[in-house]
Amino acid sequence: MTSNEMDVDEENETKPKNFHEFELDDRILKAIAKLGWFEPTLIQEKAIPLMLDGKDILIRARTGSGKTAAFAIPLIQKILSNKRTQKTQEIKGLIIAPSKELCKQIHDVILSLTIKCSREVRAVDVSPPVDISAQKLLLTEKPDIVIGTPSKLLQHLKANNMKLKKSLETLIIDEADLVFSFGYEDEVKSLLSYLPIVYQAALASATLSEDVITLKKLVLHNAAILKLEEPPLAPLSQLSHYSLAAEENDKAAILYALLKLNLIRGKTIIFVNTVDRCYKLKLFLEQFGIPTCVLNSELPAVSRCRAVTQFNSGTYDIIIASDEKSLEEPHLIKVKKGKRKKDKESGVARGIDFQFVSNVINFDFPLDVNSYIHRAGRTARGKNQGTALSFVSIRERPLLDEVDSELKHCYNRDNLFKTYQFKLEEVEGFRYRAKDAWKAVTRIAVREARLKEIKQEVLNCEKLKSYFEDNPRDLQSLRQDKALHTVKLQPHLKDVPEYIVPPTLKRLVGIGRKRRKFNREAAQSKPTATRSKHQARASNPLISLQIQSSK
């Protein structure tokens, strides 16, 4: 098996083509225009023509580079072109992704791209956690594109809910470097036996790992390899990296001060390293009236998708995500007995499209370079600006040095991280409050919070509605269960009293201005000017706390 390597150097490229130069169907072009995509990204410019020519490709590009559209657009074009001569409805495209969230995201992109041809091109996502018999009817109608995780697709193939030997023309595997590391090696190999001998294939991946090379040998034939010669993250002009020295006892106080003083603005993802830390931090922030939602591998898929949707829609501005090492490389982690079962089809730092994220905060520093790349890659997507702020204790310093050493060569910089110097003594009042609030979140409180969330999911579960209708006593027993040991909320903690705000920051947060006598006539005559001045002040982004930021 041979491969035609095609390295793409971003610096040597001319101005990208327009989408209409690919000779795409007008219905696709209208959908692209509606999405507001003015020109293809570099990987789209290279991948779309090759796929339209029927070549196998391996797409290697960083998160946020537009890989999904790079394989979705030519797939839809190919289906539309074949519809002119196709006599029967058949499944033509199969898309495999390692997590339910990513499957849903791919499905959403395809729905957006087929909005003008939804009758001609139909796509079905079989990854949701429902019984395969409930999805059988959808597959009986033979949608043009089927999307799913390897295990779910294999279940349908074994049940004869879909037959691909004669119809399938295109196989796509997204986030290929995670498919095997999520434990899908056996499923993928078995799944391939249900496919025809000849088909077009595409792999998309952020890295070129050993698992990807193995997959390439299994599914690609004479492939073109598109490898963008670019940094693994957005350029430094778009994404700023800060480190903040903070010991374990001070991290919570610093986060509380940054959030309550509005020094962190915009949508924010806070990463921690364990599920328990997710809930501990959530319960801590709730005491100060800071609403958050959590995302981790133990939540049901429906809950995870709902959390991402609520975050993207603006219901929550802060999401707390656990990014455990076991999610990245479960085949390297020994499973300990007694540990709660995690969903291998869940991934937080990889693949999920969090929209318009302004900040990523590493409350716990990631355990390796790849984890840092994938966390920081959640922000500064497209042409948006972003900031990655990492809290680093003395124990975590070697991890920071490893990331800095690895990435500074990519950017030709002596130091990747700017030092965010936070004068904790200036916010001693915040520290005092935070210490008590953090201590109040005990192990029992964390455990009860997790049980409460599971219980709520049981009550909301569509599958159990009919059961509860037939067994109302069971529902009543759940609702009348013993009181949960939740953290006691103190209303006064939601407000920030003037005396704990540093003098240098009072003006910035609107405290301590000289009060003028109220002049009703003046207020009525100049309402617009007063309001616009206030809005201008509120929208002024604050990059550093007095609390200076220095390189």
Side-chain angles (χ1 to χ4, degrees):
M1 187 178 297
T2 60
S3 295
N4 296 325
E5 296 232 3
M6 185 178 299
D7 294 340
V8 182
D9 190 339
E10 190 171 11
E11 294 179 0
N12 298 331
E13 291 299 316
T14 57
K15 185 179 179 181
K17 295 180 180 180
N18 291 318
F19 282 104
H20 66 80
E21 294 181 57
F22 296 132
E23 298 182 359
L24 299 172
D25 190 286
D26 283 345
R27 290 165 289 185
I28 299 177
L29 292 174
K30 288 177 181 178
I32 289 172
K34 189 172 182 179
L35 287 167
W37 299 349
F38 300 108
E39 59 187 24
T41 64
L42 182 57
I43 199 64
Q44 289 166 3
E45 182 189 350
K46 296 301 174 185
I48 291 174
L50 288 170
M51 283 200 70
L52 290 175
D53 286 342
K55 293 184 180 296
D56 284 9
I57 62 171
L58 170 57
I59 303 171
R60 181 192 172 192
R62 66 175 170 81
T63 300
S65 60
K67 294 194 296 291
T68 304
F71 60 70
I73 289 173
L75 173 60
I76 296 166
Q77 175 64 41
K78 188 176 177 181
I79 291 170
L80 285 172
S81 298
N82 292 341
K83 286 280 184 178
R84 299 166 190 165
T85 56
Q86 186 177 321
K87 295 180 179 179
T88 58
Q89 178 63 32
E90 295 175 322
I91 298 173
K92 295 295 184 182
L94 186 67
I95 302 177
I96 301 174
S99 70
K100 300 182 186 78
E101 296 93 339
L102 187 53
C103 287
K104 181 181 184 301
Q105 180 182 310
I106 294 169
H107 186 239
D108 289 344
V109 171
I110 291 176
L111 289 181
S112 299
L113 289 170
T114 57
I115 193 168
K116 300 296 182 181
C117 55
S118 55
R119 291 183 180 180
E120 290 81 6
V121 181
R122 291 182 291 120
V124 169
D125 175 14
V126 298
S127 68
V130 299
D131 192 84
I132 61 170
S133 59
Q135 297 175 331
K136 184 177 181 179
L137 182 60
L138 294 173
L139 294 174
T140 302
E141 296 175 355
K142 297 181 179 179
D144 301 278
I145 303 169
V146 177
I147 307 154
T149 57
S151 57
K152 200 63 177 289
L153 291 169
L154 187 58
Q155 288 177 37
H156 282 292
L157 288 167
K158 287 181 176 179
N160 285 323
N161 291 346
M162 59 178 179
K163 297 180 180 179
L164 305 176
K165 277 285 187 184
K166 295 181 180 179
S167 66
L168 189 75
E169 294 180 349
T170 307
L171 170 67
I172 297 167
I173 302 179
D174 196 12
E175 295 292 350
D177 53 335
L178 287 186
V179 169
F180 280 3
S181 66
F182 267 51
Y184 287 129
E185 185 170 358
D186 292 338
E187 285 96 333
V188 170
K189 290 178 178 177
S190 179
L191 190 153
L192 293 175
S193 66
Y194 289 87
L195 306 186
I197 297 174
V198 179
Y199 54 84
Q200 182 183 12
L203 300 184
S205 174
T207 60
L208 193 61
S209 63
E210 289 296 323
D211 289 335
V212 178
I213 294 170
T214 303
L215 262 179
K216 180 171 79 75
K217 292 178 181 178
L218 287 173
V219 303
L220 298 183
H221 301 273
N222 196 29
I225 300 178
L226 300 181
K227 185 170 59 175
L228 292 190
E229 296 298 330
E230 61 177 358
L233 290 168
L236 297 180
S237 59
Q238 185 181 350
L239 174 59
S240 300
H241 303 262
Y242 290 93
S243 65
L244 196 165
E247 288 312 303
E248 188 63 30
N249 295 334
D250 296 330
K251 286 184 178 182
I254 293 171
L255 181 64
Y256 163 45
L258 291 174
L259 292 174
K260 285 306 259 187
L261 291 173
N262 294 321
L263 300 174
I264 293 175
R265 299 184 182 182
K267 295 170 78 170
T268 302
I269 303 176
I270 303 174
F271 279 106
V272 293
N273 285 341
T274 67
V275 176
D276 275 351
R277 294 273 279 185
C278 258
Y279 289 97
K280 187 173 179 69
L281 195 54
K282 176 180 171 63
L283 292 174
F284 168 76
L285 294 176
E286 276 184 356
Q287 294 178 77
F288 301 104
I290 301 173
T292 64
C293 57
V294 297
L295 193 63
N296 59 68
S297 61
E298 292 184 359
L299 287 174
V302 174
S303 302
R304 297 196 300 267
C305 290
R306 184 166 58 244
V308 175
T309 300
Q310 289 177 336
F311 179 74
N312 287 339
S313 65
T315 304
Y316 292 97
D317 286 331
I318 301 172
I319 195 166
I320 303 171
S322 68
D323 184 20
E324 304 113 302
K325 183 66 176 176
S326 58
L327 282 179
E328 292 291 331
E329 296 175 308
H331 59 298
L332 299 180
I333 303 296
K334 292 183 179 179
V335 179
K336 296 181 181 179
K337 292 184 179 180
K339 289 290 182 182
R340 299 177 184 87
K341 184 180 179 181
K342 295 181 174 65
D343 183 355
K344 74 174 182 178
E345 296 185 1
S346 164
V348 174
R350 295 294 303 275
I352 303 177
D353 192 5
F354 297 101
Q355 296 172 7
F356 306 112
V357 177
S358 299
N359 315 289
V360 164
I361 298 177
N362 290 314
F363 190 82
D364 295 329
F365 199 81
L367 301 175
D368 56 37
V369 177
N370 281 336
S371 290
Y372 181 85
I373 290 172
H374 296 310
R375 288 187 187 187
R378 298 301 103 202
T379 186
R381 295 171 73 89
K383 295 183 179 180
N384 298 314
Q385 295 289 319
T387 300
L389 172 63
S390 299
F391 294 175
V392 185
S393 64
I394 292 177
R395 182 176 56 84
E396 294 170 319
R397 188 74 202 187
L399 296 172
L400 174 75
D401 293 339
E402 181 185 351
V403 171
D404 189 58
S405 175
E406 186 77 21
L407 294 182
K408 67 183 181 183
H409 299 302
C410 301
Y411 294 101
N412 294 319
R413 290 282 298 269
D414 292 335
N415 294 295
L416 174 70
F417 291 92
K418 301 174 185 177
T419 301
Y420 197 78
Q421 295 177 332
F422 189 100
K423 296 181 179 178
L424 191 56
E425 62 273 12
E426 290 196 11
V427 288
E428 188 62 33
F430 287 87
R431 188 180 191 177
Y432 179 78
R433 285 183 160 204
K435 183 179 179 180
D436 288 342
W438 187 255
K439 192 179 294 184
V441 186
T442 62
R443 287 186 179 180
I444 294 176
V446 169
R447 186 185 67 192
E448 294 293 345
R450 294 175 70 162
L451 288 175
K452 184 177 180 180
E453 188 130 354
I454 294 170
K455 191 176 295 185
Q456 194 59 46
E457 285 306 316
V458 170
L459 294 174
N460 292 336
C461 181
E462 291 291 331
K463 286 195 228 175
L464 294 177
K465 276 188 177 179
S466 58
Y467 173 82
F468 284 138
E469 287 173 1
D470 297 334
N471 302 273
R473 287 187 179 181
D474 289 353
L475 177 62
Q476 202 65 19
S477 65
L478 273 175
R479 288 181 171 166
Q480 293 182 349
D481 199 3
K482 65 177 183 178
L484 296 173
H485 296 283
T486 52
V487 177
K488 183 180 178 181
L489 299 181
Q490 303 178 61
H492 73 276
L493 291 180
K494 293 183 179 181
D495 300 320
V496 179
E498 181 179 345
Y499 67 86
I500 71 169
V501 179
T504 51
L505 290 176
K506 287 182 178 179
R507 182 176 179 80
L508 293 170
V509 296
I511 295 176
R513 295 194 191 94
K514 291 183 179 179
R515 296 185 180 180
R516 299 178 181 177
K517 290 184 179 180
F518 182 65
N519 187 327
R520 188 177 300 276
E521 292 181 3
Q524 290 176 347
S525 63
K526 295 183 180 180
T528 306
T530 304
R531 191 162 52 247
S532 62
K533 182 179 179 181
H534 173 73
Q535 289 172 342
R537 187 187 304 114
S539 62
N540 181 27
L542 181 65
I543 298 175
S544 62
L545 232 189
Q546 184 60 345
I547 305 173
Q548 308 121 2
S549 173
S550 59
K551 290 186 180 180

